Amino acid sequence: DTAVSQTPKYLVTQMGNDKSIKCEQNLGHDTMYWYKQDSKKFLKIMFSYNNKELIINETVPNRFSPKSPDKAHLNLHINSLELGDSAVYFCASSQRGLAFFGQGTRLTVV
Amino acid sequence: GDSVTQMEGPVTLSEEAFLTINCTYTATGYPSLFWYVQYPGEGLQLLLKATKADDKGSNKGFEATYRKETTSFHLEKGSVQVSDSAVYFCALSRSNDYKLSFGAGTTVTVRA
């Protein structure tokens, strides 16, 4: 059983489109995150949710909107995609600081 | 705010060489410290952790000791293998915080 699963694994889309990435965890964790990893492997936290409530929003453009319908899910919707949004996006969940990551979604905006 | 600084890569080694990746941190209180590893094409996975000063985390031949006096958590392995080629991330979290702060990552390549 995959602990943190995100879909899709690859996403190629044109500039200006709107897309969503889904994430689910079956670990019973209270906290979930979205991270963006650039081409140099640098990881930047985007959002953190705890029990469905937004806790951290790290100066991410308004075009990015997370949604947590329940504790096990944290989806990421991106409007009006730009070339600079191309990256690998990782979902993660954690309990007491110990994090489990999904496999990542490689987003390519053309 | 909290921050983690780790040595820049990339690091290239021969098999059976000694590996060390330096990591220092800035944080208030007593954070927990972690090393995560990212193999090519995969997500991050926990390699080892330490939750208090002088704790030593170890896994798969890797070790790191939580040194509060030097605010460091250096990763070491005595004899690396080709399969250790990956990106290694140092990270910290505080018990009352929902943020896991990562270092910039160090790419390690081990050649046969």
Side-chain angles (χ1 to χ4, degrees):
Chain A
D1 262 354
T2 304
V4 181
S5 60
Q6 53 181 110
T7 54
K9 189 169 182 180
Y10 299 97
L11 186 53
V12 181
T13 187
Q14 289 187 328
M15 273 196 307
N17 283 351
D18 303 338
K19 291 293 178 186
S20 292
I21 307 172
K22 295 186 175 182
C23 178
E24 175 181 6
Q25 55 101 358
N26 62 6
L27 298 166
H29 290 166
D30 291 333
T31 307
M32 295 186 73
Y33 309 82
W34 277 107
Y35 283 86
K36 179 180 180 180
Q37 186 174 47
D38 63 23
S39 58
K40 295 184 179 179
K41 305 295 186 183
F42 184 76
L43 271 170
K44 179 178 167 58
I45 189 168
M46 301 173 69
F47 302 103
S48 171
Y49 270 70
N50 183 261
N51 279 321
K52 301 193 300 174
E53 301 227 357
L54 179 66
I55 302 296
I56 294 173
N57 180 343
E58 288 282 319
T59 60
V60 177
N62 290 340
R63 300 182 295 103
F64 291 80
S65 53
K67 283 193 171 47
S68 183
D70 55 57
K71 212 170 76 163
H73 295 84
L74 179 62
N75 303 323
L76 183 65
H77 188 75
I78 315 169
N79 288 328
S80 303
L81 278 155
E82 300 177 357
L83 292 176
D85 297 332
S86 295
V88 181
Y89 293 83
F90 285 101
C91 176
S93 72
S94 75
Q95 198 86 331
R96 292 188 296 275
L98 181 56
F100 291 80
F101 283 77
Q103 292 276 64
T105 296
R106 182 173 294 278
L107 171 65
T108 304
V109 182
V110 297
Chain B
D2 298 344
S3 67
V4 177
T5 303
Q6 60 182 102
M7 65 182 276
E8 290 187 21
V11 174
T12 303
L13 302 164
S14 298
E15 255 190 329
E16 300 183 3
F18 183 85
L19 170 68
T20 183
I21 304 175
N22 290 341
C23 171
T24 57
Y25 68 90
T26 302
T28 56
Y30 301 93
S32 294
L33 301 174
F34 307 85
W35 278 99
Y36 283 83
V37 59
Q38 183 180 24
Y39 298 105
E42 298 184 10
L44 280 73
Q45 54 186 275
L46 178 69
L47 181 59
L48 52 84
K49 67 173 182 175
T51 57
K52 61 183 187 294
D54 299 325
D55 265 3
K56 178 187 280 190
S58 61
N59 186 25
K60 298 182 180 180
F62 289 89
E63 291 184 342
T65 301
Y66 189 143
R67 301 283 187 204
K68 188 157 178 62
E69 62 277 13
T70 54
T71 61
S72 65
F73 193 54
H74 305 323
L75 182 69
E76 295 181 339
K77 184 172 185 180
S79 177
V80 293
Q81 305 300 313
V82 172
S83 57
D84 293 325
S85 298
V87 183
Y88 293 82
F89 293 89
C90 186
L92 72 81
S93 74
R94 289 186 280 126
S95 59
N96 61 345
D97 199 345
Y98 298 101
K99 185 175 176 179
L100 190 64
S101 298
F102 284 94
T106 302
T107 300
V108 174
T109 302
V110 180
R111 295 188 171 158

